[in-house]
Structure formats: structure tokens, C-alpha cells
Amino acid sequence: MADITAMQLVVLAVLIAMVASIALTWLVVSVRDRSSERADGAPWRSEQGLLADEPLSPQVVRRLIETMPNALIVCSSQGLVSYVSPGAAQLGLVEHARLMPSEFMDLLAQVVSDGVLREREIATDSGEQATHMRVRIGGIDDDSYAVFLDDVSEQRRFEEVRRDFVTNVSHELKTPSGAIALLAETIGDASDDPEAVRYFAGRITKESERLSQLVHHLIDLQHVQDMSAIQVTQRVDALAAVREAIALDATQAQAKSIAVQLTADRRVLPLDAASEAHGEAGPHAEAFEVLADRESLTTAVRNLVENAIRYSPQHGSVAVSLERAGSVVRIRVVDQGIGIPKEAQQRIFERFYRVDAARSRATGGSGLGLSIAKHGIEEHGGTLGVWSHEGFGSTFTIEIPLAPENAAT
């Protein structure tokens, strides 16, 4: 641990950096309050007074460093570490009281050689994923150097995701729009062949539907990612939302002759609530009440049912079930489809990720449905998981908290 004098010098460097980062705000406050008094009648003290009037105790020094937005390491010109802030200790850059990464030591050597403060972004590979660190090194004493660290890994990952998203959207939009243009040109060339015109017109319709689906999915994704989009969170009957989701996918199910079965608390229910009203009474609606945005919940379930239908074989079946499980409502969507390889199950909720891109394009998948469903459920404090085995289908499970009994309607 460095002595008090060294620590005070570190604080001086820290405060200079902090003052520089908020210079404009501080200037406004200083001008406004220079001749004024505090609420308790004592005169305001400038930052110069704070540093010059009295020495700072080691406890104050440590607290100042701990509240800094940047992590801090103090070391010698040879990389021998004398101080590591709590934030820096979590980064794993110090071993046996030495600054370890060679990139950091190279930057330190440059600062030692000419005394010029330097800042650089350094990427290190921790094995699982790269860590991006903004590093600022400057001398603070004869043989003491301050190493300021700012982990920008999350920012870099976000930028990468954004670039990939823009690239994927551009590609997905270009494919159907290009196909439509080509097919329209082909129809013009085959105007004297009614059969060809009908065939290519059908292809145009299919590509148009794919383009429309992609646009709608992009809108849905934006909706669930924007927390302010959920304007009204209220008591929602999850059973009614599931019924609505199944109804919205009825056309796709009929086209493939796929039977969709709905159960609640292990009792088979009709898909139409009106039919249930004329028959045996079903579970009480309160049994499945959750606090949610009705549209977001319905969209999430619809995307799961749509996926189950898309990847199930002709004349297959899809089972949708609801049950109370402690303090949550559990919704399962089970299909008899091709299944998902184990190595792909951690990635299927990523935007535009497809296990089999060729098959997904053939079935009209956008690669956004599962991402939309996961975001929508997590916004309501729920979870979305998957079990799958190749050749044995998949089971997607939603768990969303039940509405408290005293929650406002």
C-alpha cells in the first residue's frame, strides 16, 4: 500500500481528471455561487480550497477513488503495483503485485520513456470473449504511475450487434424485394403464357408476404425492446391471450393440416371461448391472471405457435398448455418438428439466427420470432426456455408471474 503522501498525489490526479470531465457544469456552478452562501450560512469553498486548505485523510482518499467512474491501478515504472481500486481488482489485470497484460506494459514503457500521458483502447482475450479496455496512463510521482481503466466491452459488443443487425436487415429486405422485381420482369416476358403468369404471380404473392412478415416482425421487435412501449400493464387473462395467439395462426395450421390442441390444468379446452361457454365450464379466468401488456404477451405466444407450426410436418400436431406452478403461470408450446441441435439452443433467441438457413427461407421464417418472444416475456419479469432433441421436436416454456391478489385492475 502506498504511503499517505503518494495517495494524496493520486487523489490530485484523480480530481484533475474528474474536474476536466465536468468542467462546464462546474464553471456554471462556480460563477453562480462564488459570492453566495450555503443554506447553513457557511461560505462556499472552491475546488482549489478543497485541495489547499487542509490535508485529506487516507479514508477520504479511498472513498474518493472508490466513487470514481474509472478503475485505478498505481504502479512503478516496472509494473510493480502499490494500489488497486476495488473496480480494478475485478478486472484480473494484476498478478503477484505486478501489472500483467503485455499491452499495458508496452503503453506504460512509452509513458516512462518520455513522460507524456497516453490513452489507448486495448483488447484482451479472456478465453470466452474479448475484453475492451480504455486505458489512460500518466506519471504522478518520481516512480509512480496512475493507470485509469474504463471497461468498454459492453459498448463494443452493442456496436457489433448493431452492425450485424443492420447487415442482416439489409440482406433480408433485399432478398424478397429483388425476387419481386425479377418475377415482375419475368411475368412481362411471359405475358402470352397464362400458366406461367399464374405461377410467377403466385411466387410474387409469396415473396410479398415474406417481405410483409419481416417488416411486421421488425416493428414487433422494436415494440418489445422499447420499455416505454408498454403503456398499459393490467390484469390479463393468459388463457384468453393464448387463445387469441392460436387464432392468429389458424390459417397457417390449416394450410399444413396441423391440429392445435389447447389444455389448461390438464383439461382439453376448445379453441373458441364461445364454444366453451356452451359446454362444460372451464378453469376460472382468475387462475391464469398475470400483470402484462395484452398485445406483447399475445405476440410472444403467437410467435412460438407460429414457429411450432412452421417446423412441424404436414398433418402433425402442436400442443399448447397452461398451468399454475406456484407463483407463476406456465405456458408450454410443444411441436413434433425437426428439433434443434444442442449446440444451437443457446443461440436460437438471437436476432436473425437460423439453425438451418436454407430450410428457414423455404418455410418463410424471418429469424426474429423467438427474439421477439423472449424480449416480450422478459419485459414482464418472466422467462422463456427451450428443450429440444433432434428428430423429437421442441418444447418452449414460458413462465410469467401471477398477478398479486391485491393488484389494481
Side-chain angles (χ1 to χ4, degrees), residues 332-344:
R332 285 196 175 100
V333 179
V334 184
D335 64 53
Q336 299 175 326
I338 58 177
I340 304 167
K342 185 176 181 179
E343 63 274 12

Side-chain angles (χ1 to χ4, degrees), residues 1 65-66 68-74 81-101 104 133 147-151:
M1 184 65 67
I65 293 175
E66 289 172 3
M68 288 172 50
N70 302 92
L72 172 66
I73 295 173
V74 179
V81 175
S82 58
Y83 178 80
V84 182
S85 72
Q90 301 174 7
L91 300 174
L93 303 174
V94 177
E95 291 184 16
H96 308 297
R98 294 191 67 92
L99 187 63
M100 293 305 297
F104 286 51
M133 203 76 60
V147 182
F148 293 96
L149 305 164
D150 186 13
D151 189 347

